[in-house]
Amino acid sequence: MFLATYKNTLKNLIRSTTFWLAIAVLAIVVIQGVNEGFFQVDTEPNFVLTYQNYIQSIINSLGSKLLMYALPIFSVITVVLVLNRDYGDKFFEIEKAANIKPSFYVYGRLSALISVNFAVLLLSNLFFMYWYLYTCGGVEGLTTWEMISETFVRVLRVDIFVGMPSLIFYIGLTYFAGAIFKNGIPAAIVGMGYAIGFYAGYITLRFRIAEEYFSYFSPIPQKLRRFFHYYDTEWFEDTIKRQNTSVADVAFCISFLVGIAVLCSVISYIRARRRNN
């Protein structure tokens, strides 16, 4: 039953025109981000991408570009599409008639949403980085194969430990709002409102309000991001000491984001158990 719900959710997303429109918009954002680059001189014909700048660009492609608003809004859209199917197309009644348990109903959908968003996160970040490296003419000191393989490993690592906790947070929050209001529109307002509010606050207020929020409790915790900035390089130890971050900080930041999502999913499950329509 869980697998059937999972597969049905994937099918409904993939068959949605809105889903592919969101993919197209995300692709435009990625292209724009590559064209903007990371350094003031990286569009110059004689620019050489050093290994240190290459390492910086990997975490920046995620934290400074994709996770700021594009991927969070995309994740909210996917959740709203699922919610609209449930509440607007009476899909809940169909699955309830098939005796699907509320736990399978909720967690099957959330699992499908997480799977789709992770795939989009990984592919968009890899596309971003490979295209950027191509425009830069490669990385100084690395062969083409070394650049391709190392980029894949580093992008995969930051996507798992930095990107996915953030998207899981947005998915859980948006689904929770939909379960409370029994409608996809309030869920969209809550999810997109938080994503846009965070982006606006980060741009304008991050030096004026409590540092703890952006360091530990925001969708992109700075303690988490800074830990992976130079991970597995010669600059790693010096960086985490200077930025005052640690494995404990990483564990706390991930636990907070995922914990909020889990709490939201539990409440959504309780609402599903009590739901009649």
Side-chain angles (χ1 to χ4, degrees):
M1 290 296 186
F2 174 87
L3 190 58
T5 302
Y6 179 87
K7 289 181 178 179
N8 287 335
T9 305
L10 290 180
K11 289 178 183 178
N12 290 333
L13 280 173
I14 293 173
R15 291 172 181 173
S16 170
T17 302
T18 304
F19 174 81
W20 293 106
L21 287 174
I23 290 286
V25 172
L26 181 60
I28 293 173
V29 172
V30 170
I31 293 170
Q32 181 182 6
V34 172
N35 290 335
E36 290 175 353
F38 298 106
F39 310 100
Q40 292 182 349
V41 295
D42 60 4
T43 55
E44 298 294 329
N46 59 346
F47 173 74
V48 176
L49 184 65
T50 65
Y51 185 73
Q52 184 173 7
N53 286 344
Y54 155 71
I55 295 298
Q56 291 183 58
S57 67
I58 290 176
I59 192 66
N60 287 336
S61 71
L62 180 65
S64 299
K65 303 285 187 177
L66 298 175
L67 272 188
M68 272 296 159
Y69 63 89
L71 283 173
I73 290 178
F74 176 84
S75 68
V76 171
I77 290 173
T78 60
V79 177
V80 172
L81 288 174
V82 170
L83 290 171
N84 284 342
R85 179 74 170 169
D86 289 348
Y87 293 100
D89 297 340
K90 304 301 181 181
F91 199 71
F92 173 80
E93 286 79 359
I94 297 173
E95 297 208 349
K96 186 177 181 180
N99 294 319
I100 292 181
K101 295 180 179 179
S103 58
F104 292 164
Y105 171 81
V106 172
Y107 295 113
R109 276 162 174 68
L110 289 175
S111 297
L113 285 165
I114 291 172
S115 298
V116 168
N117 278 277
F118 177 71
V120 171
L121 163 66
L122 181 60
L123 291 174
S124 60
N125 204 6
L126 283 173
F127 181 73
F128 191 113
M129 280 306 305
Y130 285 141
W131 193 355
Y132 174 71
L133 295 177
Y134 173 77
T135 62
C136 292
V139 181
E140 185 180 38
L142 294 182
T143 65
T144 300
W145 172 246
E146 288 173 337
M147 180 183 67
I148 291 173
S149 57
E150 182 168 343
T151 299
F152 179 83
V153 172
R154 291 187 177 279
V155 167
L156 179 62
R157 179 164 54 215
V158 297
D159 284 354
I160 291 174
F161 291 104
V162 181
M164 276 315 297
S166 178
L167 295 188
I168 289 173
F169 167 81
Y170 280 109
I171 290 169
L173 179 66
T174 307
Y175 197 93
F176 162 78
I180 293 296
F181 293 102
K182 297 183 179 182
N183 195 294
I185 295 177
I189 293 173
V190 171
M192 291 189 182
Y194 194 93
I196 295 171
F198 166 73
Y199 177 71
Y202 183 84
I203 296 298
T204 61
L205 300 174
R206 71 180 184 274
F207 298 116
R208 299 189 216 176
I209 65 177
E211 180 185 353
E212 286 74 15
Y213 169 74
F214 289 106
S215 293
Y216 295 99
F217 304 108
S218 73
I220 319 174
Q222 292 299 306
K223 294 291 184 179
L224 177 61
R225 177 178 170 179
R226 289 166 182 168
F227 184 87
F228 287 99
H229 195 101
Y230 282 120
Y231 189 85
D232 195 25
T233 68
E234 62 184 281
W235 306 285
F236 174 68
E237 293 295 338
D238 180 63
T239 300
I240 63 172
K241 289 180 182 178
R242 187 172 64 254
Q243 299 293 345
N244 191 29
T245 186
S246 64
V247 173
D249 289 330
V250 168
F252 176 84
C253 293
I254 293 176
S255 297
F256 174 77
L257 292 173
V258 175
I260 292 294
V262 169
L263 177 61
C264 288
S265 72
V266 170
I267 298 174
S268 299
Y269 161 70
I270 294 172
R271 294 283 292 179
R273 284 191 62 182
R274 298 176 178 177
R275 181 177 168 185
N276 296 316
N277 54 60

